[in-house]
Amino acid sequence: MSNVESNLEDIQKVAKINAGKNLKYSILTMGCQLNENDSEKLSGMIEKMQYTKTEDLSKADLIVFNTCCVRENAEDKLFGKLGEVKKYKEEKGTIIAIGGCMMQEKHIVEKLKESYPFFDIVFGTHTLHQFPSNLYSILTNNKRIEDILDIDGEIIEGLPIKRDDTVKASVTIMNGCNNFCSYCIVPYVRGRERSRLPKDILLEVNKLAEEGYKEITLLGQNVNSYLRVEKENNVSFEEYEGVNSFATLLRAINKIDGIERIRFVSPHPKDFTQDVIEAIRDCDKVCKLIHLPLQSGSTNMLKLMNRKYSKEQYLDLVKKMKNEIPNVTFSTDIIVGFAGETQEDFEDTLEVVKEVKFEQVYMFIYSRRVGTPGDRMENQVPDEVKHERFEKLKQLVEKQIEERNKQYVGTIQKVLVEGKSKNNDQMLTGRTDSNKVVVLEGPENLIGKIEDLKIVSEHMWYLKGQLK
Ligand code: SAH
Ligand code: SF4
Ligand code: F3S
């Protein structure tokens, strides 16, 4: 029996036990978009097993944590919440399942067993599809389960999925990462880079288009090296509609009727080949906001971080794209206070920020991760210096965003209307091609449509738009 067949069979077995019981589940997603996409698959399986969703943890019969360990504060979130759910376990026997990246860290699972021994299932990043079988075991013999693989699991196609949104959808195109940036835990918890087959991705996107989705975000830790590892290792794979690289994948998705926008995160600057630049330029549906993680603007730091490009190479790439792709803009990720960072190194980062003028900067204070080379480095930057630098970068970024937002006022922007505004349900919200949030007044039937809006005012985190 294939993995997906046994998955579907286990789902049926649990559904039979649960039928008619009106059971509820909650899922807490603590990580990145890949983690969110995994949660959508977990939710898909869980709903087929006869649970309905609730946000109220006290009402849930099953609580699933999908954890992240990229920084310390992501880990703290889990421990805080576990303290809270302990009482539900004691009062009503709620099933507690903890999965995701953090569970791939041995010291964390040990800590759970020692300090939070009331959990029922822990599962890692390679065994998502076995969740129904694990749940079946808990329901039938109630023995605590650890389902964590150290080796890379294969990619399982065809799992049920319950998507969070009706306009935008994420499609994971590859798992794992081979880059081993020296600060980063991801390669240790997500395993080696493996790409999904072109056919599986295109069938998924076609189905999304049929279901009415307008925007697709292609996900992976290093999307622009899609299928590269396979080619380097002479692993044979079947091409489909001419797709054999990231560039050809963009071109193929661009042809799918119904899909109107294509985004992707995250590419790595070192893998930005000419064919990808040309595909972005040629494909009208590919958004011209490119997320291009910088991490640091100092060549010394980039070397220590194992990023494989220099400050100059990064700036040259930006310049090249600005020359070749009309209206291209950039967003980025930056880490401050990595081990060994001097004041001069930090100033190099500020300089690059000033030069590129990013649309958005996701800023992080370096967080030491057990098992990574960064954690073993001497010259760790003291906390107060990290915080000072972070504040300084934040001020610069906010000033730049304010200036950039002002340039939008008076312009006409194509906005994909995504839904009602979370803060005010009289208003709608959407995004520009450059991923700026735009709030507008208008009828609900605009949801899912791309509208020309006149930008009338700017606020730090959003723009206000008017229908023309
Ligand atoms: N694969 C993607 C994203 C990885 S995680 C990429 O390479 O861009 C998202 C971001 O978290 C990273 O880009 C980095 O800026 C940040 N990050 C990763 N490890 C970190 C750490 N130990 N401390 C602080 N920030 C970190
Ligand atoms: Fe982490 Fe670097 Fe891989 Fe991104 S590319 S996931 S930062 S190791
Ligand atoms: Fe976190 Fe795992 Fe994503 S560590 S950032 S949830 S890949």
Side-chain angles (χ1 to χ4, degrees), residues 30-35 67-71 74 100-102 125 185-186 189-190 221:
M30 297 163 156
C32 62
Q33 292 182 67
L34 281 157
N35 190 253
T67 62
C68 170
C69 54
V70 77
R71 286 170 291 274
C101 293
M102 218 173 145
T125 55
I185 190 83
V186 170
V189 298
R190 286 267 171 182
Q221 295 298 354

Short mmCIF file of all heavy atoms in Angstrom, two decimals, residues 30-35 67-71 74 100-102 125 185-186 189-190 221, ligand 3:
data_model
loop_
_atom_site.label_atom_id
_atom_site.label_comp_id
_atom_site.label_asym_id
_atom_site.label_seq_id
_atom_site.Cartn_x
_atom_site.Cartn_y
_atom_site.Cartn_z
N MET A 30 2.95 28.10 14.59
CA MET A 30 3.89 29.04 15.19
C MET A 30 5.03 29.46 14.28
O MET A 30 5.89 30.23 14.69
CB MET A 30 4.46 28.40 16.46
CG MET A 30 3.33 28.18 17.45
SD MET A 30 3.75 27.04 18.72
CE MET A 30 2.60 27.59 19.99
N GLY A 31 5.05 28.98 13.04
CA GLY A 31 6.22 29.24 12.21
C GLY A 31 5.94 29.98 10.91
O GLY A 31 4.99 30.76 10.81
N CYS A 32 6.77 29.69 9.93
CA CYS A 32 6.77 30.41 8.65
C CYS A 32 5.65 29.91 7.74
O CYS A 32 4.84 29.08 8.11
CB CYS A 32 8.11 30.19 7.97
SG CYS A 32 8.43 28.45 7.59
N GLN A 33 5.66 30.36 6.50
CA GLN A 33 4.59 29.98 5.57
C GLN A 33 4.61 28.48 5.24
O GLN A 33 3.58 27.89 4.96
CB GLN A 33 4.72 30.79 4.28
CG GLN A 33 4.41 32.27 4.50
CD GLN A 33 4.48 33.06 3.21
OE1 GLN A 33 3.67 32.90 2.30
NE2 GLN A 33 5.47 33.92 3.10
N LEU A 34 5.81 27.87 5.30
CA LEU A 34 5.88 26.42 5.07
C LEU A 34 5.18 25.68 6.20
O LEU A 34 4.48 24.68 5.98
CB LEU A 34 7.35 25.97 5.04
CG LEU A 34 8.07 26.25 3.74
CD1 LEU A 34 9.57 26.32 3.98
CD2 LEU A 34 7.76 25.17 2.73
N ASN A 35 5.40 26.18 7.39
CA ASN A 35 4.76 25.63 8.59
C ASN A 35 3.24 25.82 8.49
O ASN A 35 2.47 24.90 8.79
CB ASN A 35 5.39 26.39 9.76
CG ASN A 35 5.08 25.86 11.14
OD1 ASN A 35 4.32 26.50 11.84
ND2 ASN A 35 5.66 24.76 11.55
N THR A 67 5.07 23.63 15.60
CA THR A 67 6.08 24.51 16.21
C THR A 67 7.15 24.98 15.23
O THR A 67 7.33 24.41 14.16
CB THR A 67 6.80 23.75 17.35
OG1 THR A 67 7.46 22.62 16.78
CG2 THR A 67 5.82 23.32 18.43
N CYS A 68 7.87 26.01 15.68
CA CYS A 68 8.98 26.61 14.93
C CYS A 68 10.15 26.76 15.91
O CYS A 68 9.93 27.00 17.09
CB CYS A 68 8.54 27.97 14.42
SG CYS A 68 9.87 28.98 13.73
N CYS A 69 11.38 26.66 15.40
CA CYS A 69 12.53 26.82 16.30
C CYS A 69 13.57 27.75 15.70
O CYS A 69 14.72 27.74 16.09
CB CYS A 69 13.14 25.47 16.63
SG CYS A 69 13.57 24.52 15.17
N VAL A 70 13.16 28.59 14.76
CA VAL A 70 14.15 29.41 14.05
C VAL A 70 14.79 30.45 14.97
O VAL A 70 15.96 30.79 14.82
CB VAL A 70 13.53 30.03 12.78
CG1 VAL A 70 12.64 31.22 13.07
CG2 VAL A 70 14.60 30.41 11.78
N ARG A 71 14.03 30.92 15.96
CA ARG A 71 14.56 31.83 16.98
C ARG A 71 14.02 31.44 18.35
O ARG A 71 12.99 30.76 18.44
CB ARG A 71 14.15 33.29 16.67
CG ARG A 71 14.91 33.91 15.52
CD ARG A 71 14.33 35.22 15.09
NE ARG A 71 13.04 35.05 14.48
CZ ARG A 71 12.84 34.78 13.18
NH1 ARG A 71 13.87 34.69 12.36
NH2 ARG A 71 11.63 34.60 12.70
N ALA A 74 10.32 31.94 19.28
CA ALA A 74 9.34 30.98 18.71
C ALA A 74 9.20 29.80 19.67
O ALA A 74 8.12 29.26 19.87
CB ALA A 74 9.80 30.52 17.34
N GLY A 100 6.13 19.58 14.22
CA GLY A 100 6.85 20.67 13.57
C GLY A 100 8.33 20.67 13.87
O GLY A 100 8.89 19.74 14.47
N CYS A 101 8.97 21.76 13.46
CA CYS A 101 10.44 21.84 13.43
C CYS A 101 11.09 21.63 14.79
O CYS A 101 12.13 20.98 14.91
CB CYS A 101 10.84 23.19 12.87
SG CYS A 101 10.39 23.35 11.13
N MET A 102 10.47 22.19 15.82
CA MET A 102 11.08 22.10 17.16
C MET A 102 11.21 20.66 17.64
O MET A 102 12.10 20.33 18.42
CB MET A 102 10.16 22.88 18.10
CG MET A 102 10.84 23.65 19.15
SD MET A 102 9.54 24.60 19.96
CE MET A 102 10.16 24.55 21.60
N THR A 125 9.04 16.73 11.29
CA THR A 125 8.67 17.36 10.02
C THR A 125 8.57 16.34 8.87
O THR A 125 8.16 16.69 7.78
CB THR A 125 9.70 18.42 9.62
OG1 THR A 125 10.99 17.80 9.60
CG2 THR A 125 9.73 19.57 10.59
N ILE A 185 19.01 27.02 11.94
CA ILE A 185 18.68 25.66 12.39
C ILE A 185 17.90 24.88 11.33
O ILE A 185 17.83 23.65 11.38
CB ILE A 185 17.86 25.76 13.71
CG1 ILE A 185 17.67 24.39 14.41
CG2 ILE A 185 16.49 26.38 13.48
CD1 ILE A 185 18.80 23.98 15.26
N VAL A 186 17.34 25.60 10.35
CA VAL A 186 16.40 24.96 9.42
C VAL A 186 16.94 23.70 8.73
O VAL A 186 16.25 22.68 8.70
CB VAL A 186 15.85 26.00 8.39
CG1 VAL A 186 15.07 25.31 7.28
CG2 VAL A 186 14.98 27.03 9.10
N VAL A 189 16.52 20.68 10.93
CA VAL A 189 15.18 20.22 11.32
C VAL A 189 14.28 19.92 10.12
O VAL A 189 13.25 19.28 10.27
CB VAL A 189 14.49 21.23 12.28
CG1 VAL A 189 15.27 21.35 13.57
CG2 VAL A 189 14.27 22.58 11.63
N ARG A 190 14.69 20.37 8.95
CA ARG A 190 13.87 20.12 7.75
C ARG A 190 14.56 19.17 6.78
O ARG A 190 14.00 18.82 5.74
CB ARG A 190 13.56 21.43 7.03
CG ARG A 190 12.54 22.28 7.73
CD ARG A 190 11.16 21.99 7.18
NE ARG A 190 10.12 22.61 7.94
CZ ARG A 190 8.82 22.46 7.68
NH1 ARG A 190 8.43 21.74 6.66
NH2 ARG A 190 7.93 23.04 8.43
N GLN A 221 12.61 26.76 1.08
CA GLN A 221 13.68 27.50 1.76
C GLN A 221 14.65 28.10 0.76
O GLN A 221 15.44 28.98 1.11
CB GLN A 221 14.45 26.58 2.71
CG GLN A 221 13.62 26.05 3.87
CD GLN A 221 13.09 27.16 4.77
OE1 GLN A 221 13.43 28.32 4.61
NE2 GLN A 221 12.24 26.79 5.71
FE1 F3S B 3 10.38 27.86 11.75
FE2 F3S B 3 10.60 25.52 10.66
FE3 F3S B 3 9.73 27.55 9.25
S1 F3S B 3 12.02 26.41 12.08
S2 F3S B 3 10.80 29.27 10.15
S3 F3S B 3 8.73 26.69 10.99
S4 F3S B 3 10.96 25.86 8.51
#
